[in-house]
Amino acid sequence: MLDGSEFIVQVLLDQGELSLEDYERAREHAREHSIDVGEAVVGLQLIDSRQLALAKAMVCEYPFVDLGAFEINIRNSELLPKRTAESLGVFPLFVLDGVATVAMNDPMDLQAIDQIRQQLHCDVDPVICDKVQLERLIQRAYSLYRSGDDAVSEQDSSGAVAVADEPNVVAVNQLIISALEAGASDLHLNPDEQELHVRMRIDGVLQSRDDMPLVAHSGIVQRLKVMAKLDLTQSRRPQDGKFRFTHGGQTVDIRLSLIPTVHGENIVCRLLRPTASISKLSELGMSATVLDRFEQLIRRPHGMLLVTGPTGSGKTTTLYTALNAINTPSRNIMTIEDPVEIRLPMLRQVQVNPEIGLTFAAALRSMLRQDPDVILVGEIRDEETGRIAVQASMTGHLMLSTLHTNDAVGVIARLRDFEIPVYAINSALLGALAQRLVRCVCTDCAEPYTPTEDQLRALAAEPGAGLFRRGLGCTRCMNTGYRGRMGVHELMCMTSRLRVLIEENAPAVEIEKVAKEEGMVPLVTDGLHKAMMGLTTVEEVEKLLATIDLAPPMRMSA
């Protein structure tokens, strides 16, 4: 007579998902290792745990729940002790109208259901889920939100209570892993009067995650300080550090910033992926015209090309993609950065260290004696760096760098602020690329829609023009309607007409007007064009327009 596990595997065999040879092999493996056949077929990778759970759901006639499709409240870990959840393989997903929906490995275990019912003091509605997903959920929930007899604490010599180190290690690891899996660029841990708020910046937008008890804050701070080699005894002044974290073969550099607040030290972790693969220039989202002109500029033997935009607008990614496109053994490419965020082969990369006098200007001055062909300066921040960079671009070097300006035309005024002579600007500057990032419409839940007349009028778009789309919200995009980001660009290439205006110290409005006549497409116009293609939404372009102080965009029509 077949037991429950063998009966479920037999169903897989009947459905053709498992061959007879694999079935016999799994039975032999189960006998040798004293496990059931279900565990054996998964352990031998003949099927995955999800397939087994689906088969079990069909046999037992219980619903299957994909845990990845729901935002589970990890505070439900307070409803069951950790030892119960781990030993029985259960976790309460939802409690509605006196009925608890409980994810289980074995919903036929009536004794377990009775035990859960007594502890929850309500009726239990069992559901089946992927065993691997369930184990990860239990581990994450009880490491991030401990309470009752699951909390482990210790008292130090000062009398302060701190959570034991081992749970802190698990909690910090789970927080970082969750941020990595969500594709976050920043992880925020903000202590409040009663809770520790967890937020992640995903696709440029700060999103709340499950909050944690305030008692966990001190332990997490101590663990992060240990990882970043910071002063554990100092909590009254800001501290900055960094450390490397590896998960699933992916390595990230994490920049840690701590600042004291009235409720404790506020934590922000910037996740930098140094080994991230650099895409091709064609994958940056540039229009065909901008891409062609940009490629021409980065292949010039000398001169200065500047990328502008606020923090987090993708300037570093654009510059490194450009470097990757021209990186050959025949070129000596050197970079000066703070910090080095992306690492590429054959590049000589220098990280500034102001404490020992290795500033951008000092490093750039020394680098010119290293026979470089191409130099990337992470940011031109001061007059000295600006002057040296301009001089280098006039003496046979291709200089790439970034500036913080609102648009491409603003580069001229910024260089003037550094007291760089007009003749030097005209001789050195090849062009300026301004960029922003807008969120992409989620392709899994996108649908056509028509923006309002007011929206189209504000963006100078013709009614009925383009194919606008927006996302309805699904599990793949966390119900936001957006997934991923793309660049919006504005490229000003230097021409003889622009150089005459710069020589005459013309106002920015006049320079911008001529730049448009010479082929520069404004940021908002490029964003609107991408919205009309259904790649982003009108709302994203409206947000872009609100951050840029310029004239209304050029008229767009079908």
Side-chain angles (χ1 to χ4, degrees), residues 283-340:
E283 298 173 3
L284 290 177
M286 295 179 181
S287 66
T289 303
V290 171
L291 177 61
D292 181 60
R293 292 182 176 182
F294 187 75
E295 285 187 313
Q296 292 180 31
L297 292 179
I298 64 174
R299 297 187 188 280
R300 296 283 290 272
H302 57 81
M304 174 182 284
L305 175 61
L306 298 174
V307 179
T308 78
T311 301
S313 59
K315 300 187 298 294
T316 300
T317 299
T318 296
L319 285 175
Y320 263 97
T321 304
L323 287 183
N324 192 50
I326 62 175
N327 186 16
T328 63
S330 62
R331 281 193 178 93
N332 182 17
I333 302 178
M334 306 189 75
T335 75
I336 312 165
E337 302 166 79
D338 182 23
V340 175

Side-chain angles (χ1 to χ4, degrees), residues 176-250:
I176 296 174
I177 290 170
S178 297
L180 286 174
E181 292 178 345
S185 61
D186 299 86
L187 170 63
H188 293 241
L189 302 174
N190 314 128
D192 210 337
E193 190 170 355
Q194 296 178 338
E195 290 182 307
L196 177 61
H197 299 289
V198 180
R199 297 187 292 174
M200 298 178 188
R201 190 172 296 280
I202 303 171
D203 292 337
V205 179
L206 207 55
Q207 301 180 16
S208 296
R209 287 293 183 264
D210 294 306
D211 295 338
M212 300 171 63
L214 193 59
V215 69
H217 175 252
S218 60
I220 289 175
V221 168
Q222 293 297 308
R223 174 58 187 165
L224 286 169
K225 285 183 177 179
V226 169
M227 296 173 76
K229 297 181 174 60
L230 299 180
D231 187 351
L232 300 178
T233 63
Q234 182 58 258
S235 61
R236 294 183 296 175
R237 64 176 175 84
Q239 292 194 73
D240 296 310
K242 60 183 178 180
F243 59 92
R244 181 162 287 187
F245 186 87
T246 302
H247 170 66
Q250 181 183 17

